[in-house]
Amino acid sequence: MTSRMTQAERRASTRAALLVAGRRLFAERGYDDVAAEEIVTAAGVSRGALYHHFDGKAGLFEAVFVEIEAELVANFPLEELVGGDPFAALRSGVSRFLDLSLQNEVQRIALIDAPAVLGWTRWHQIEADHGLGLIRAGLDAAVAAKQIKDLPTEDLANALLGSLTESALAVARAENREAAHRRAEQVLVALLDGLSTDR
């Protein structure tokens, strides 16, 4: 029993070391400029461990991307989106999301490299799995509170996720990211305000 626990702990430690090393290197230089050998050296593990845990560099990259997406979603507590003022939470969430998209690892890994490395279909599926449900819950709460127009929230959530993602991509690729961030926030908040029942 003890030896099995030790083996399980070793596996978890090896996996964690690969995630940390891969995340740092992918954020610093991008997927294409990082060799698998660099990752295993930085993680202090064998090349076989990379293939055992992630089936290679691409599998590790996907796991890193999923980890970042989960952390992004954790910045938007569900109770805030469905609480007393869901529309205000949606509006402030736009600014918070764009702020987070200025982080180097979010830009490089989640917004720039992920669509190319994983392909658009897989990238969009992961984005939808993490962010779409959260957006829809906020929209459902805002409709129930009669703060926004009673539109189909599934379709509306897809439209908002697309707008947020494309805006964040534009910010990530802009020469002046701070200015692009301000413009994107202004446009996205205006889009949300257009849904308000007060207008």
Side-chain angles (χ1 to χ4, degrees):
M1 183 72 169
T2 305
S3 64
R4 261 185 261 149
M5 283 296 293
T6 303
Q7 188 177 16
E9 287 170 359
R10 269 200 309 270
R11 281 198 301 270
S13 176
T14 298
R15 188 178 193 281
L18 284 164
L19 283 166
V20 168
R23 182 166 175 162
R24 179 177 59 80
L25 290 168
F26 293 144
E28 285 173 1
R29 302 211 313 274
Y31 179 84
D32 288 338
D33 290 334
V34 176
E37 201 57 48
E38 289 181 86
I39 296 168
V40 298
T41 299
V45 302
S46 70
R47 192 178 180 89
L50 173 63
Y51 286 88
H52 173 73
H53 288 279
F54 299 104
D55 199 25
K57 187 174 90 163
L60 174 62
F61 180 87
E62 180 172 326
V64 167
F65 173 50
V66 168
E67 185 176 72
I68 289 171
E69 286 293 297
E71 289 170 10
L72 284 172
V73 168
N75 279 278
F76 302 89
L78 183 60
E79 60 272 15
E80 185 180 299
L81 282 169
V82 300
D85 194 344
F87 187 61
L90 285 166
R91 289 177 96 253
S92 67
V94 163
S95 179
R96 194 181 314 169
F97 175 76
L98 290 173
D99 286 343
L100 292 167
S101 75
L102 287 174
Q103 295 175 5
N104 185 55
E105 65 180 14
V106 173
Q107 286 183 358
R108 169 61 81 171
I109 295 171
L111 298 174
I112 296 172
D113 281 353
V117 174
L118 303 177
W120 188 89
T121 301
R122 179 63 182 141
W123 172 70
H124 183 263
Q125 180 184 18
I126 293 169
E127 284 279 358
D129 286 347
H130 287 84
L132 194 61
L134 201 58
I135 293 170
R136 186 170 181 189
L139 291 170
D140 283 337
V143 168
K146 301 192 182 333
Q147 293 180 313
I148 66 171
K149 296 166 187 170
D150 190 5
L151 296 167
T153 53
E154 182 177 355
D155 298 305
L156 190 52
N158 276 316
L160 285 177
L161 178 63
S163 298
L164 284 164
T165 302
E166 287 300 319
S167 294
L169 282 166
V171 171
R173 292 183 172 126
E175 284 187 26
N176 185 335
R177 289 173 177 168
E178 296 294 337
H181 178 286
R182 286 193 298 274
R183 292 193 305 271
E185 182 176 355
Q186 182 181 20
V187 168
L188 289 167
V189 169
L191 284 174
L192 277 175
D193 285 347
L195 300 171
S196 172
T197 52
D198 288 339
R199 293 178 177 262

